Amino acid sequence: MTTPLATAAVKDASQQRQKRMIAEHFERLAAARDEGRKVVYTFVPGNLTELLGALGLLPVLPEINALQSGMRNRSAAYIAEAERAGHSEDVCTYVKCDIGMLKSGNIGPTGTRLPDPDLLLLSYTGCFTFMKWFELLRQEYRCPVAMLHVPYQSDGVITESMRSYVVEQLRRRVVPALERLAGRPLDMDELAARLARSRRAEEDLVAVWESARHRPSPIDGYFGGVYYVGPIFSSFRGTGDAEAYYRELRSEVESRMARGEGPTTPDGPATGERYRLVVEGPPNWTSFNEFWRMFIREGATVVASTYTRVGGLYDTGFRHDPARPLESLADYCLGCYTNLGLPTRTDLIERYIRDYQADGFVINSVKSCNSFSAGQLLVLRELERRTGVPGAFIESDLVDPRYFGKANIENRLQSYFQMLEARRRGGPS
Amino acid sequence: MAGPLGDCEARLARARALVEDRRLDTVRAWKAGHPGGLAIGHMPVYVPRPMLEAQGCLAVALFGGGDQVDIIRGDSYFQSYICHIPRSTIELALTGDLEPLDGVLFPSICDVIRNLGGMWKLLFPDRYSDYLDLPQDFDPEVGGAFYVRELGRIAGELERRGARPLEPGALREAIARENRRRAALEAMDALRAREPWRVRASEAYLIARAGAALPAQEHATLLEEFLAAAALREVRYRDNVRVVLVGAFCEQPPFELVLTLERAGCDIIHDDLQLGLRAIDGEIRVPEGADPLEALARAYLEQGTAMASRYIGEGEKGVALVRRVCDAAADGVVFAAASFCDPALLDQPMLERALEGAGIPFTSFKFAENTGQFQVIREQAGAFSDAVKLWGKES
């Protein structure tokens, strides 16, 4: 049985606001050279947006460019361009998409050329490939790099040694490099004010995540969730715009919850929640809506996901703290999802399955991302053993359309939903 | 009485037996002779072995199962696009071959080995395993201080499991033994580069890798004895091309692959096959009165060789490789990366660009530790060797 889709897809006010924020950011980037503003390329996990913002620096996030290229059907050509230039078919397609985009003129999502970086801020958090990515970009752009090595939480604990290592790097290397670029000293009051705004936005985001405990869930915490994390993962954390966005989003979600409505989808409000799922792993971007609809058609709502925690894990209690600016930036970087050891990741997913009363969980294993993918088959077994909840395992990629096998993925998901249905009826599983 | 040839053969036979000792019989024997001593395995690339030795532990470098193990259970833990070494390592662990190990260290070299460390904790919760976060900040007061704390933490964990406390005197002695091993390795590398027909790369590989589960002193003795015998044996000059083999090797190629390159007319005068043994360039210096643990950390920070898992913050990528090729008077470079190896494959375009800039010819292919077909590689390496001979750097 499939859930009928509503036809009218009216964008919420928060969606309109986010769209405007992004457009304005790219306008600022387009005008950066003329206005003498400096541009810093950096990554989503472990981003130091408040620090950049406090110094008037403009961030560019190559992962976001890559995923947007994927959604706009440009990534295949960019990847081919990079592979022609000698980049292996085996490695991360975000990297190849970015290199290919650069070699094709570096045209951003709004159709204008992105400015070259004045500095690469290499926050080495949770992903080894980040380091190689910026080594590659440094060779292309010939600009300086500021490195921030964030230790790995293999045991799921932030030790004082880890924190002080990150803080010392921030204090001695990263902040001075950014100050030199900005041509002015860091105003700690301005940084604290931004961190306070981040904190308020984080409170609202966590309320949005936790709304999914309600039945029906008023949000989709994966497909919808990637839109919800847009501002806080990218260039806006610590801004008034982001704070307003999350306040508005929370209000919309709470209104839907009060009315007993399901999530907003590309085809309008979803109705008839049949299955509540937790999803581990990033989405596929080249067939994003197609992928989402495979869930919508079956009445499956994702009540929690791990991908939406890669740029910050807030629902275990962390908040940016204006009273401890560098320390809390360090804790933020250390706490991003892929910087957590596999046992901690498994515990977190188990918690999501239990807290959000999930009927099942799906692992979307992407070829590009060993940081996520290595070990997921063990996570699958471990979660089934601990919770008794069945899992599904599908494979795709981030932005390489060659690895999105629609029929295969759809067949697997349909079989999985049939199995969930059979279990529900007490039949064989 | 054996002559130099016999001496070489005997040393090589011993080395080969050690390399193929996947059930860790050597480790079992060591433990029988050292009651209470801990055998601590470690994944590639680099772990500061002298610290383990100073605590009375046997450091055991793990390189997966190579082409000797049928992977049955290991494959069920990894997707097809993950490299091979974690599969065979899991296989060995699940079949009990790694039973003699009292713990395993997973150094920070890539996401797969990092996550393998997490899998270990889930699969074997009662056994000691730890993650060694090698610093990517090379300031002694920042990255160095963190690294010293990290080593101290691991030393404490080992002590809690029965190892001796880490004492400066013992560490100083262990570093001295490690330096002897390093000096012998350097002497072998120098001889290989000078007279590659006297010490073949395949032989050097066996002798170097034989140290995986040997105390530094014992390995140094093996190296020295082999070198002394090799210097005396009669050999036949070969007119091969001189190549540097590059693979950021964590996963090791099958031994047959090294032989295949030699048969294709390549004298491998330098390689990074046993990268961990060469991760620090030169002697580990411990000045009088200095803390040897800080000296060990400082050697990693300041004398660390350029490798894919180490951030190159200053200078250009590939400069070290070009210098290596020039210093060794090599004719070209052979890239052999393990399939799906992020460090090697992400590094390679940068290294290739540096070689192109210096006019150094190169060729590249991929392998897996259990690759069984070598004909294509032999043809490719043979064609490369011929081209370099015929046209030199123009090729």
Side-chain angles (χ1 to χ4, degrees):
Chain A
M1 177 187 156
T2 58
T3 304
L5 300 175
T7 48
V10 179
K11 285 197 187 308
D12 291 334
S14 64
Q15 288 176 288
Q16 302 284 7
R17 180 189 290 274
Q18 182 173 174
K19 195 175 173 187
R20 178 181 53 74
M21 287 160 64
I22 292 169
E24 286 171 0
H25 181 65
F26 280 99
E27 281 168 21
R28 284 191 290 273
L29 286 171
R33 288 287 167 260
D34 292 340
E35 294 175 1
R37 296 192 68 177
K38 303 292 186 186
V39 174
V40 175
Y41 284 21
T42 193
F43 292 113
V44 169
N47 72 74
L48 303 170
T49 305
E50 296 90 346
L51 200 50
L52 299 179
L55 284 160
L57 303 169
L58 288 173
V60 169
L61 298 143
E63 301 140 285
I64 305 287
N65 295 340
L67 75 85
Q68 285 178 337
S69 296
M71 293 181 102
R72 290 180 297 129
N73 296 320
R74 303 269 172 84
S75 55
Y78 291 155
I79 290 166
E81 179 74 27
E83 288 182 355
R84 275 196 295 277
H87 294 267
S88 170
E89 66 200 44
D90 289 357
V91 302
C92 173
T93 52
Y94 268 177
V95 177
K96 287 186 290 188
C97 185
D98 186 41
I99 299 271
M101 179 172 142
L102 161 65
K103 291 189 179 298
S104 308
N106 226 12
I107 304 300
T110 54
T112 53
R113 184 183 161 83
L114 291 173
D116 287 355
D118 296 294
L119 181 115
L120 298 168
L121 175 54
L122 168 49
S123 181
Y124 176 64
T125 307
C127 170
F128 171 83
T129 297
F130 284 160
M131 188 174 89
K132 309 312 292 179
W133 191 343
F134 271 14
E135 283 180 347
L136 284 159
L137 287 196
R138 188 175 69 151
Q139 215 174 47
E140 299 291 339
Y141 289 116
R142 301 279 167 196
C143 69
V145 186
M147 159 64 128
L148 178 67
H149 175 208
V150 178
Y152 184 60
Q153 274 200 60
S154 60
D155 291 321
V157 176
I158 297 175
T159 65
E160 192 47 46
S161 171
M162 294 174 180
R163 182 179 295 119
S164 65
Y165 176 40
V166 178
V167 168
E168 279 304 294
Q169 291 175 82
L170 288 170
R171 190 172 284 142
R172 295 186 190 214
R173 225 147 348 268
V174 174
V175 170
L178 296 176
E179 286 177 330
R180 276 195 298 278
L181 185 65
R184 68 185 204 222
L186 175 64
D187 179 342
M188 293 305 284
D189 291 338
E190 171 64 19
L191 177 62
R194 285 174 180 265
L195 292 171
R197 286 196 285 271
S198 296
R199 189 185 185 93
R200 291 192 287 273
E202 287 153 9
E203 287 290 340
D204 286 333
L205 176 61
V206 169
V208 169
W209 291 147
E210 294 189 342
S211 72
R213 292 170 190 251
H214 191 264
R215 284 177 185 263
S217 168
I219 63 163
D220 184 286
Y222 183 55
F223 297 104
V226 300
Y227 291 100
Y228 302 155
V229 294
I232 209 160
F233 276 17
S234 60
S235 311
F236 306 101
R237 207 179 61 219
T239 65
D241 269 347
E243 192 183 352
Y245 169 83
Y246 285 101
R247 198 168 45 240
E248 191 164 44
L249 174 67
R250 179 178 182 172
S251 165
E252 288 167 355
V253 167
E254 287 175 349
S255 296
R256 282 206 298 274
M257 188 161 62
R259 294 194 298 269
E261 290 176 2
T264 303
T265 78
D267 305 306
T271 56
E273 176 184 284
R274 289 190 65 78
Y275 308 112
R276 296 166 63 83
L277 301 176
V278 170
V279 176
E280 146 79 3
N284 164 272
W285 298 109
T286 51
S287 301
F288 183 83
N289 283 343
E290 212 167 355
F291 191 26
W292 190 352
R293 287 189 175 104
M294 292 179 195
F295 289 74
I296 297 169
R297 277 196 293 271
E298 302 289 345
T301 298
V302 182
V303 287
S305 67
T306 55
Y307 177 71
T308 51
R309 274 66 170 176
V310 291
L313 181 60
Y314 302 109
D315 48 351
T316 53
F318 169 79
R319 300 285 183 277
H320 282 91
D321 182 356
R324 301 165 56 248
L326 297 187
E327 289 77 4
S328 89
L329 283 172
D331 285 1
Y332 156 74
C333 293
L334 285 156
C336 291
Y337 176 72
T338 48
N339 202 50
L340 306 177
L342 224 51
T344 315
R345 280 172 51 182
T346 310
D347 292 345
L348 184 70
I349 302 170
E350 180 188 355
R351 202 195 94 182
Y352 286 156
I353 290 170
R354 293 188 194 284
D355 289 358
Y356 289 84
Q357 300 168 56
D359 303 301
F361 65 96
V362 175
I363 296 179
N364 182 36
S365 181
V366 296
K367 172 184 172 288
S368 274
C369 186
N370 286 337
S371 178
F372 257 108
S373 301
Q376 280 177 326
L377 284 160
L378 177 59
V379 171
L380 172 82
R381 293 177 202 189
E382 189 68 15
L383 288 171
E384 287 188 332
R385 186 185 66 78
R386 290 186 195 179
T387 64
V389 166
F393 198 88
I394 52 178
E395 292 182 273
S396 66
D397 188 51
L398 296 167
V399 289
D400 191 337
R402 293 173 294 187
Y403 297 101
F404 186 81
K406 184 191 169 198
N408 190 23
I409 292 171
E410 196 156 29
N411 281 343
R412 282 198 186 195
L413 285 174
Q414 282 174 351
S415 302
Y416 178 66
F417 290 126
Q418 284 166 9
M419 184 267 287
L420 288 183
E421 191 61 33
R423 275 172 67 102
R424 185 171 283 172
R425 291 176 181 173
S429 57
Chain B
M1 179 181 148
L5 178 61
D7 286 345
C8 274
E9 293 305 320
R11 302 294 176 272
L12 286 168
R14 181 173 177 229
R16 183 146 195 165
L18 287 165
V19 167
E20 292 176 352
D21 177 25
R22 67 175 170 81
R23 290 187 47 78
L24 301 183
D25 290 335
T26 320
V27 178
R28 292 171 208 268
W30 181 89
K31 290 186 78 167
H34 298 78
L38 301 181
I40 302 298
H42 66 85
M43 292 302 290
V45 173
Y46 172 76
V47 157
R49 294 170 63 110
M51 187 185 92
L52 303 180
E53 286 202 13
Q55 293 190 267
C57 302
L58 177 68
V60 182
L62 303 174
F63 293 104
D67 54 0
Q68 300 177 60
V69 180
D70 284 334
I71 310 295
I72 298 163
R73 286 191 270 180
D75 272 344
S76 70
Y77 286 89
F78 295 98
Q79 302 89 322
S80 57
Y81 49 79
I82 305 280
C83 60
H84 214 272
I85 185 171
R87 303 162 194 276
S88 60
T89 304
I90 288 280
E91 186 78 24
L92 292 173
L94 292 174
T95 52
D97 285 355
L98 304 185
E99 204 61 48
L101 299 179
D102 299 291
V104 181
L105 299 177
F106 295 84
S108 54
I109 60 163
C110 72
D111 295 331
V112 171
I113 298 299
R114 184 196 72 184
N115 285 11
L116 181 64
M119 292 174 70
W120 217 263
K121 286 181 191 293
L122 288 169
L123 283 167
F124 312 110
D126 299 330
R127 298 191 211 165
Y128 172 60
S129 66
D130 217 325
Y131 183 70
L132 172 60
D133 222 335
L134 295 162
Q136 299 289 2
D137 178 293
F138 303 109
D139 180 341
E141 292 181 4
V142 183
F146 168 73
Y147 187 35
V148 168
R149 294 194 296 269
E150 187 70 358
L151 293 180
R153 181 186 65 76
I154 290 174
E157 294 291 341
L158 293 174
E159 189 183 336
R160 267 190 287 285
R161 287 162 176 81
R164 290 200 295 262
L166 184 61
E167 301 286 353
L171 181 55
R172 199 175 276 270
E173 288 168 14
I175 290 172
R177 293 193 295 273
E178 181 66 27
N179 281 336
R180 185 182 149 205
R181 183 225 300 263
R182 284 166 189 280
L185 263 174
E186 281 175 22
M188 184 169 74
D189 287 345
L191 178 58
R192 234 175 110 182
R194 202 167 55 242
E195 297 179 73
W197 49 90
R198 183 167 297 284
V199 176
R200 308 286 288 148
S202 49
E203 296 172 335
Y205 175 57
L206 287 177
I207 296 288
R209 187 170 160 184
L214 291 180
Q217 183 144 298
E218 205 176 322
H219 190 210
T221 302
L222 176 66
L223 280 156
E224 288 159 358
E225 288 175 354
F226 173 74
L227 274 176
L232 295 176
R233 69 174 165 177
E234 285 186 17
V235 288
R236 186 166 59 87
Y237 170 80
R238 293 166 201 258
D239 184 24
N240 288 341
V241 294
R242 296 164 61 82
V243 302
V244 172
L245 178 63
V246 177
F249 293 104
C250 155
E251 182 171 325
Q252 300 288 294
F255 185 59
E256 187 64 25
L257 190 147
V258 181
L259 293 173
T260 296
L261 292 176
E262 289 178 341
R263 289 178 192 132
C266 295
D267 279 338
I268 305 165
I269 55 166
H270 193 275
D271 62 67
D272 58 357
L273 288 163
Q274 287 289 293
L275 193 48
L277 293 175
R278 299 179 176 94
I280 292 176
D281 196 15
E283 181 189 2
I284 301 166
R285 290 179 291 276
V286 188
E288 193 64 34
D291 177 351
L293 191 62
E294 285 185 12
L296 189 60
R298 203 153 180 137
Y300 179 77
L301 301 177
E302 295 173 355
Q303 296 164 241
T305 48
M307 52 187 181
S309 53
R310 183 184 172 100
Y311 175 59
I312 304 291
E314 304 294 332
E316 293 288 308
K317 289 292 293 188
V319 164
L321 176 59
V322 170
R323 192 183 307 126
R324 171 79 62 196
V325 170
C326 295
D327 289 351
D331 302 305
V333 169
V334 174
F335 287 104
S339 292
F340 303 107
C341 173
D342 279 341
L345 292 168
L346 287 162
D347 233 27
Q348 200 167 308
M350 294 181 275
L351 301 182
E352 287 178 354
R353 186 192 274 202
L355 293 177
E356 281 167 353
I360 297 166
F362 59 87
T363 189
S364 59
F365 55 82
K366 291 188 286 187
F367 72 89
E369 61 179 355
N370 63 347
T371 296
Q373 296 290 331
F374 302 100
Q375 187 57 29
V376 173
I377 291 172
R378 184 169 181 165
E379 284 169 10
Q380 184 180 340
F384 178 69
S385 153
D386 290 346
V388 169
K389 265 191 192 169
L390 286 171
W391 296 294
K393 290 191 171 182
E394 295 303 309
S395 60

